[in-house]
Amino acid sequence: MPSYQLSHLRALEAEAIDILREMAAERERPALLFSGGKDSIVLLHLSLKAFRPARLPYPLLHVDTGHNFPETIEFRDRKVAELGERLIVGSVQRSIDEGRVAEERGPRASRNRLQTTTLLDTIAEHGFDACIGGARRDEERARAKERIFSHRDEFGQWDPKNQRPELWSLYNGRLRRGEHFRVFPLSNWTELDVWQYVKQEGIELPDLYFARRRQVFRRDGMLYSPAPFIPLLPGESVFEETVRFRTIGDMTCTGAVKSDATDLDMVIAEVASARVTERGATRADDKFSEAAMEDRKKEGYF
């Protein structure tokens, strides 16, 4: 009898699809966190494989800071329109206007940390009991502590010392009223796996992920894109550099990297030789302290 063995990427794909179907079977009101970044785009692709030709059993949810890259928002809206799926947008600007959060001031101000309140308010407003996210364990040490079905209490908070065991492929999907899960089907993927899968599947990504001549300015050792809501400090100036973005988030805290990787093969080669994770290299919000991400996750962050 012939034996069949899945390739590495096909095994990861099968696991992720199984997690998505298990989550959809166990929970009544899930949502897919969709930012227009590469990991959420891969999750959307996996969701289509898991549930098409039917419509997805969950809407797409984006927490919009109002300071996102315009290219990302354009890609998000176009992709949702092409697929005919439902998009729910939680607005940080609305949270500010309603007095739910106070906007930071100063040249280094960012709305990124304000997303937590907007996310939890949106979850409560729509009664979501599971939010599917694209976090991977190789991104950051706090995310390495996550379970695949990661429990959040009635306040939306995460306790890394009080997590449910996950044996083999068995997930505990039970919740009390007001609690919810963050579900991470890409937990066992790496950044390199994501890029190789993007190439294998022919998945479209925003052009920001590929090296181009772009306007940037240098701050605290990182290269940022200029924007009307990011005032330049004395001595800072805008110049052109060939760069790409390894991760796409709020423009105020997402840096670019110098790169000549203009296509998928070059990006894959670059990622294979990298020694720093994409968040470690390009996300200023993770540099406040050694436990910056873990502290925010405990409060309900992605």
Side-chain angles (χ1 to χ4, degrees), residues 26-59:
E26 292 204 33
R27 303 314 318 155
E28 295 182 2
R29 296 184 63 83
L32 171 62
L33 297 172
F34 185 74
S35 65
K38 66 181 186 305
D39 298 314
S40 65
I41 292 170
V42 166
L43 270 181
L44 177 57
H45 181 82
L46 290 165
S47 295
L48 296 174
K49 280 200 165 189
F51 300 109
R52 280 300 200 223
R55 291 192 65 181
L56 298 184
Y58 36 76

Side-chain angles (χ1 to χ4, degrees), residues 69 208 214-217 223-227 230 245 251 254-256:
F69 289 91
L208 290 167
R214 294 185 168 98
Q215 287 194 328
V216 294
F217 68 94
L223 297 173
Y224 294 93
S225 289
I230 307 178
F245 291 85
M251 291 181 69
T254 304

Side-chain angles (χ1 to χ4, degrees), residues 97-155:
D97 294 342
E98 294 178 350
R100 294 286 294 146
V101 294
E103 185 156 22
E104 297 179 6
R105 302 296 179 185
R108 289 183 172 83
S110 174
R111 291 183 174 182
N112 194 59
R113 290 178 292 279
L114 307 184
Q115 293 181 87
T116 299
T117 297
T118 305
L119 173 62
L120 295 179
D121 285 351
T122 306
I123 290 172
E125 178 183 349
H126 294 273
F128 293 132
D129 55 14
C131 288
I132 310 158
R136 308 185 321 270
R137 287 171 177 155
D138 73 320
E139 286 183 275
E140 201 274 340
R141 67 189 68 184
R143 287 184 165 168
K145 299 178 181 179
E146 288 275 20
R147 296 292 193 265
I148 291 175
F149 273 47
S150 184
H151 177 262
R152 297 300 194 269
D153 65 19
E154 62 271 26
F155 301 106

Side-chain angles (χ1 to χ4, degrees), residues 6-269:
L6 290 176
S7 70
H8 174 62
L9 291 179
R10 288 303 180 203
L12 289 174
E13 177 190 70
E15 178 191 50
I17 289 174
D18 181 67
I19 292 167
L20 289 168
R21 289 173 173 167
E22 178 71 17
M23 180 278 310
E26 292 204 33
R27 303 314 318 155
E28 295 182 2
R29 296 184 63 83
L32 171 62
L33 297 172
F34 185 74
S35 65
K38 66 181 186 305
D39 298 314
S40 65
I41 292 170
V42 166
L43 270 181
L44 177 57
H45 181 82
L46 290 165
S47 295
L48 296 174
K49 280 200 165 189
F51 300 109
R52 280 300 200 223
R55 291 192 65 181
L56 298 184
Y58 36 76
L60 280 58
L61 169 60
H62 182 210
V63 176
D64 185 359
T65 67
H67 292 169
N68 297 96
F69 289 91
E71 298 93 329
T72 309
I73 300 301
E74 185 278 329
F75 183 93
R76 179 201 71 185
D77 292 343
R78 176 168 56 82
K79 185 60 63 175
V80 170
E82 288 173 359
L83 295 172
E85 295 293 342
R86 180 186 174 202
L87 173 67
I88 294 172
V89 178
S91 170
V92 172
Q93 183 62 57
R94 175 184 167 188
S95 297
I96 294 170
D97 294 342
E98 294 178 350
R100 294 286 294 146
V101 294
E103 185 156 22
E104 297 179 6
R105 302 296 179 185
R108 289 183 172 83
S110 174
R111 291 183 174 182
N112 194 59
R113 290 178 292 279
L114 307 184
Q115 293 181 87
T116 299
T117 297
T118 305
L119 173 62
L120 295 179
D121 285 351
T122 306
I123 290 172
E125 178 183 349
H126 294 273
F128 293 132
D129 55 14
C131 288
I132 310 158
R136 308 185 321 270
R137 287 171 177 155
D138 73 320
E139 286 183 275
E140 201 274 340
R141 67 189 68 184
R143 287 184 165 168
K145 299 178 181 179
E146 288 275 20
R147 296 292 193 265
I148 291 175
F149 273 47
S150 184
H151 177 262
R152 297 300 194 269
D153 65 19
E154 62 271 26
F155 301 106
Q157 297 179 335
W158 173 65
D159 182 358
K161 296 181 180 179
N162 184 25
Q163 300 187 75
R164 299 171 177 182
E166 289 184 344
L167 307 175
W168 302 285
S169 298
L170 301 177
Y171 309 110
N172 185 343
R174 294 184 178 181
L175 290 174
R176 296 185 180 91
R177 184 183 297 275
E179 300 175 339
H180 71 276
F181 284 115
R182 306 288 170 84
V183 180
F184 301 116
L186 304 185
S187 288
N188 293 323
W189 298 49
T190 65
E191 183 186 8
L192 183 59
D193 292 328
V194 169
W195 279 106
Q196 290 175 331
Y197 188 73
V198 165
K199 181 183 178 182
Q200 174 182 283
E201 297 292 300
I203 299 172
E204 181 189 6
L205 295 179
D207 193 59
L208 290 167
Y209 283 112
F210 301 98
R212 304 285 187 265
R213 293 292 292 180
R214 294 185 168 98
Q215 287 194 328
V216 294
F217 68 94
R218 188 180 303 278
R219 176 178 294 177
D220 302 328
M222 296 174 63
L223 297 173
Y224 294 93
S225 289
F229 44 80
I230 307 178
L232 296 180
L233 296 171
E236 293 179 343
S237 60
V238 176
F239 59 95
E240 278 199 354
E241 185 65 79
T242 303
V243 299
R244 73 178 191 89
F245 291 85
R246 290 178 68 184
T247 180
I248 298 176
D250 188 289
M251 291 181 69
T252 60
C253 61
T254 304
V257 294
K258 291 184 180 181
S259 172
D260 296 318
T262 57
D263 59 34
L264 280 173
D265 289 327
M266 297 175 73
V267 170
I268 289 170

